[in-house]
């Protein structure tokens, strides 16, 4: 009898392992596919906790954060607060809660993001959690232009780092952003360069592409043309392999900027027309500040007029207030947060 009772459980465990392998096989660079697979499978899972099932839910949760899928995020919050799941969840609770802070930052709910990170910090006893949370909190402050607060958080993150090289280079690339925004371009180039090479070696194309583009921009602003030329081909290769057309448009702008800075040669009419056609896409990206700088440096009337039509005005402050607290995910561990 016991064999007949055990068999369905073993089959279930094998199915979970298969599902987990399938989800892990889909690169998180394609979070929509990950989320679609997860939502299809989610309906068939039992409510009983298991390590394998928690890993599956965590993958779905991560994809839901990237896709701003409120339904899945709220379902995950409800799951981890069930009493029978707490023993499995408790060891990584600060990390899981900090992910809700990322979710709120993506939704521009900055106050909720900050409070959630602070809640996660209050629960973190292990330095490895503090390092991750401080890094995330620093990214939030960076997006709010609170550069000194961001730099302090990144310094804390490095202090609590437990020897993880990937985390180190993630923190360093964030510190490079601070240096860049403070116009300390030489320091930014140094940090971007080491982080870029690390993620290239690790074959993390997504991280390498974004850091590599930042490296090229910082090198140009520093008039460090030897570094620009050293890495231009590799960054271009990665951009071409990465399926995001807007990145190719950015590389076109950087090429035009490099020619102007090195040789004082302005783009001809055909190139200007191509740059104008790319403005609509680039005006909605974080890179818009760099495009604004390039347009001003080139000082070409047609480019300036067309960019002015599309550029989103930079705000000097960010509204930290939330109009609808009912939209927030309820986390019992954070109820005492102001």
């Amino acid at each position: 009898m016991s064999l007949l009772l055990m068999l369905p459980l073993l089959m279930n465990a094998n199915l979970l392992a298969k599902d987990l392998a399938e989800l892990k096989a889909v690169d998180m660079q394609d979070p929509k596919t990950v989320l679609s697979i997860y939502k299809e499978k989610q309906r068939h899972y039992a409510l009983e906790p298991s390590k394998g099932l928690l890993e599956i839910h965590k993958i779905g949760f991560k994809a839901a954060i990237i896709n701003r899928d409120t339904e899945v995020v709220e379902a995950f919050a409800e799951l981890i607060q069930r009493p029978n799941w707490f023993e499995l969840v408790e060891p990584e609770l600060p990390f899981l809660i900090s992910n809700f802070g990322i979710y709120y930052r993506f939704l521009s709910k900055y106050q909720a993001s900050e409070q959630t990170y602070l809640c996660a910090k209050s629960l973190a006893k292990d330095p490895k959690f503090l390092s991750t949370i401080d890094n995330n909190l620093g990214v939030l402050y960076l997006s709010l232009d609170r550069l000194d607060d961001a730099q302090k958080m990144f310094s804390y993150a490095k202090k609590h780092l437990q020897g993880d090289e990937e985390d180190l280079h993630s923190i360093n690339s964030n510190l490079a952003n601070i240096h860049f925004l403070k116009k300390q371009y030489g320091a930014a180039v140094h940090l971007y360069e080491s982080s870029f090479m690390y993620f290239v070696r690790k074959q993390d194309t997504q991280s390498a592409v974004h850091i590599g583009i930042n490296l090229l921009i910082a090198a140009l602003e520093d008039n460090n043309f030897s570094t620009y030329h050293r890495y231009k081909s590799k960054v271009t290769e990665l951009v071409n392999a990465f399926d995001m057309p807007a990145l190719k448009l950015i590389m076109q702008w950087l090429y035009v900027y490099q020619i102007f800075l090195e040789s004082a040669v302005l783009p001809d009419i055909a190139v200007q027309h191509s740059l104008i056609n790319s403005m609509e896409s680039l005006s909605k990206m974080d890179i818009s500040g760099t495009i604004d700088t390039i347009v001003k440096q080139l000082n070409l009337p047609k480019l300036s007029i067309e960019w002015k039509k599309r550029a989103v005005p930079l705000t000097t402050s960010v509204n930290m207030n939330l109009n609808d607290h009912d939209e927030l995910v309820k986390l019992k561990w954070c109820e005492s947060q102001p």
Side-chain angles (χ1 to χ4, degrees), residues 19 33-45:
D19 288 354
T33 299
V34 173
L35 186 60
S36 176
I37 294 171
Y38 169 74
K39 291 174 82 168
E40 176 63 30
K41 296 179 180 299
Q42 180 191 28
R43 296 176 292 179
H44 307 298
Y45 294 139

Side-chain angles (χ1 to χ4, degrees), residues 199-225:
F199 286 110
V200 168
R201 291 194 302 271
K202 195 172 181 290
Q203 297 184 317
D204 181 344
T205 305
Q206 183 174 23
S207 298
V209 161
H210 288 91
I211 295 171
I213 288 174
N214 287 343
L215 169 60
L216 295 183
I217 295 170
L220 289 177
E221 294 297 352
D222 195 42
N223 289 323
N224 186 343
F225 300 116

Side-chain angles (χ1 to χ4, degrees), residues 29-181:
Q29 292 176 15
D30 186 13
K32 287 185 178 179
T33 299
V34 173
L35 186 60
S36 176
I37 294 171
Y38 169 74
K39 291 174 82 168
E40 176 63 30
K41 296 179 180 299
Q42 180 191 28
R43 296 176 292 179
H44 307 298
Y45 294 139
L47 299 179
E48 289 74 18
S50 72
K51 289 184 179 180
L53 190 51
L54 179 59
E55 289 303 310
I56 288 174
H57 285 309
K58 281 161 54 180
I59 292 173
F61 176 49
K62 181 178 179 181
I65 289 173
I66 298 171
N67 285 284
R68 284 72 157 171
D69 191 308
T70 302
E71 183 181 349
V72 172
V73 170
E74 288 180 345
F76 185 80
E78 192 273 331
L79 177 81
I80 65 173
Q81 292 180 88
R82 292 175 187 164
N84 61 331
W85 279 81
F86 184 69
E87 186 177 349
L88 279 176
V89 168
E90 185 180 21
E92 52 185 319
L93 184 61
F95 176 72
L96 294 177
I97 289 179
S98 71
N99 283 333
F100 288 94
I102 297 173
Y103 171 68
Y104 289 135
R105 179 171 65 83
F106 284 174
L107 295 180
S108 300
K109 294 182 179 295
Y110 301 114
Q111 186 182 53
S113 180
E114 181 179 38
Q115 289 176 357
T116 304
Y117 287 139
L118 293 176
C119 170
K121 275 175 68 74
S122 71
L123 296 168
K125 307 302 179 187
D126 191 324
K128 71 181 180 182
F129 291 131
L130 288 172
S131 181
T132 298
I133 296 166
D134 285 334
N135 189 36
N136 287 335
L137 189 52
V139 171
L140 171 66
Y141 291 149
L142 184 60
S143 67
L144 296 174
D145 203 30
R146 292 168 54 178
L147 300 188
D148 291 338
D149 289 334
Q151 191 159 9
K152 186 187 300 182
M153 287 300 112
F154 295 139
S155 297
Y156 288 159
K158 290 185 78 168
K159 177 183 176 181
H160 292 120
L161 199 61
Q162 299 295 290
D164 188 299
E165 194 175 4
E166 181 173 350
D167 286 349
L168 173 63
H169 285 289
S170 173
I171 295 167
N172 279 342
S173 66
N174 287 327
L175 280 168
N177 293 335
I178 298 282
H179 289 304
F180 183 90
L181 292 170

